[in-house]
């Protein structure tokens, strides 16, 4: 019998595969309740695959994802949808759907057969649109939006779902730097003000270090380090995991770790060119 989980969402001896290709193997993870967990690692290391399994979008080959101590595979889908909100990579909207209608779909798990729409639903949708800066896009078809606008609309839908746990797979994709910061600030506010537990996959290590309470570094389908960013982000880890020679310095704004590449290409000086 496995030991009881110490967090609402966890993974035990998790092995994930696509047909005959194993992507994650023998992974154990405890998602800290009420905190922001960020998963980082090089391309194809299993970050997004892990997040899909945590949201029951992928069935484990071995092991289990646990929600409140119960195997996720045995939890009713409606209960999961009321507890875990998932924003996958590059979701596809129904043809012609407007932003308002897309965001409203986040309320479906909360609706009852005798009451399809309520004041609480309306408030949740309105707040989600306002928080993501998409209120002025409410009547626009999603498939006519720019990449950044579309991403914010999907995030609004996830917020409208109003779940205790929120899983975000590269939520800053397609966003310019200002909107990236806005989205990540929003995630932190949801965590701080409402106690939301968040798990996000990010490519930008410095953004991960700035916004995470708990940082998980993956390589080749396994967790190689996890903990507070100050403990995880070291020059040795960045070299080992990402193959990047760097210097880690204090972030001048937050005091957390900031990764600075150790080398930058520069043109040769006239003297160096002559020596060649």
């Amino acid at each position: 019998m496995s030991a009881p989980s110490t967090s609402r969402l966890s993974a035990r001896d998790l092995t994930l595969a696509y047909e005959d290709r194993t992507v994650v193997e023998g992974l154990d993870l405890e998602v800290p309740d009420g905190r922001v967990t960020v998963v980082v690692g090089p391309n194809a290391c299993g970050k997004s695959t892990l997040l899909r399994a945590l949201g029951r979008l992928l069935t484990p080959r071995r092991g289990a994802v646990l929600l409140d101590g119960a195997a996720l595979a045995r939890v009713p889908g409606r209960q999961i949808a009321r507890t875990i909100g998932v924003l996958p990579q590059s979701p596809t909207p129904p043809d012609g759907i407007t932003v308002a209608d897309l965001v409203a779909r986040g309320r479906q798990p909360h609706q009852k057969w005798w009451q399809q729409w309520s004041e609480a639903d309306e408030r949740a949708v309105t707040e989600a649109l306002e928080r993501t800066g998409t209120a002025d896009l409410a009547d626009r078809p999603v498939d006519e939006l720019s990449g950044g606008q579309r991403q914010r609309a999907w995030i609004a839908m996830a917020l409208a779902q109003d779940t205790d746990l929120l899983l975000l797979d590269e939520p800053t994709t397609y966003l310019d730097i200002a909107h990236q910061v806005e989205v990540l600030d929003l995630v932190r506010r949801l965590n701080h003000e409402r106690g939301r537990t968040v798990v996000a996959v990010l490519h930008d290590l410095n953004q991960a270090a700035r916004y995470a309470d708990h940082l998980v570094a993956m390589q080749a389908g396994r967790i190689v380090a996890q903990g507070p960013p100050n403990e995880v982000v070291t020059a040795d880890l960045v070299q080992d995991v990402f193959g990047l020679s760097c210097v880690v310095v204090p972030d001048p704004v937050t005091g957390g770790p900031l990764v600075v590449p150790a080398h930058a290409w520069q043109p040769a000086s006239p003297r160096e060119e002559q020596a060649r």
Side-chain angles (χ1 to χ4, degrees):
M1 180 180 297
S2 61
S5 175
T6 58
S7 66
R8 295 199 66 188
L9 187 64
S10 61
R12 292 285 183 272
D13 191 28
L14 194 64
T15 293
L16 306 171
Y18 298 104
E19 296 182 349
D20 60 348
R21 182 172 65 93
T22 299
V23 180
V24 170
E25 187 168 13
L27 182 145
D28 292 318
L29 175 67
E30 296 277 349
V31 175
D33 292 335
R35 311 294 277 174
V36 175
T37 295
V38 178
V39 185
V40 298
N43 290 340
C45 72
K47 303 185 299 294
S48 294
T49 300
L50 170 61
L51 199 79
R52 293 188 69 208
L54 293 176
R56 208 173 78 167
L57 301 180
L58 181 65
T59 301
R61 180 69 54 85
R62 189 182 74 240
V65 174
L66 305 178
L67 176 63
D68 295 327
L72 203 60
R74 299 178 182 177
V75 179
R78 194 172 185 86
Q79 181 180 337
I80 292 174
R82 289 176 175 175
T83 309
I84 303 176
V86 184
L87 177 62
Q89 280 192 51
S90 304
T92 303
D95 290 340
I97 193 171
T98 66
V99 170
D101 288 340
L102 177 72
V103 177
R105 291 194 172 202
R107 300 301 302 165
Q108 289 179 353
H110 301 279
Q111 294 172 351
K112 303 175 178 60
W113 66 267
W114 68 86
Q115 185 182 41
Q116 293 300 303
W117 196 252
S118 67
E119 291 184 5
D121 294 327
E122 189 69 33
R123 286 195 302 270
V125 169
T126 298
E127 182 177 351
L129 289 168
E130 291 174 350
R131 281 180 171 267
T132 54
T134 53
D136 59 338
L137 304 174
D139 296 327
R140 295 267 305 274
V142 176
D143 52 16
E144 293 181 5
L145 302 179
S146 69
Q149 291 171 329
R150 191 177 301 118
Q151 186 73 350
R152 284 187 284 145
W154 283 107
I155 292 171
M157 188 191 77
L159 295 184
Q161 195 172 337
D162 196 25
T163 55
D164 294 336
L165 295 106
L166 188 59
L167 311 183
L168 305 172
D169 194 355
E170 299 183 27
T172 55
T173 299
Y174 305 120
L175 301 180
D176 59 40
I177 186 62
H179 283 120
Q180 289 179 28
V181 171
E182 285 182 11
V183 165
L184 294 173
D185 279 346
L186 171 60
V187 169
R188 286 299 299 171
R189 287 203 308 274
L190 287 169
N191 164 256
H192 179 73
E193 296 173 2
R194 301 194 177 188
R196 299 279 182 88
T197 298
V198 179
V199 183
V201 168
L202 293 178
H203 269 300
D204 189 310
L205 186 54
N206 284 329
Q207 287 184 345
R210 171 172 283 206
Y211 288 96
D213 299 307
H214 186 74
L215 196 63
V216 177
M218 290 187 64
Q219 184 180 37
R222 298 180 182 276
I223 294 175
V224 296
Q226 61 179 314
N230 276 321
E231 297 178 6
V232 172
V233 181
T234 65
D236 287 342
L237 178 125
V238 176
Q239 177 67 64
D240 292 344
V241 173
F242 295 92
L244 176 67
S245 178
C246 72
V247 177
V248 177
V249 299
D251 185 315
V253 175
T254 67
L258 182 69
V259 175
V260 180
H263 305 289
W265 183 88
Q266 294 181 350
S269 67
R271 180 174 296 180
E272 289 171 329
E273 289 286 359
Q274 189 175 16
R276 292 178 183 177

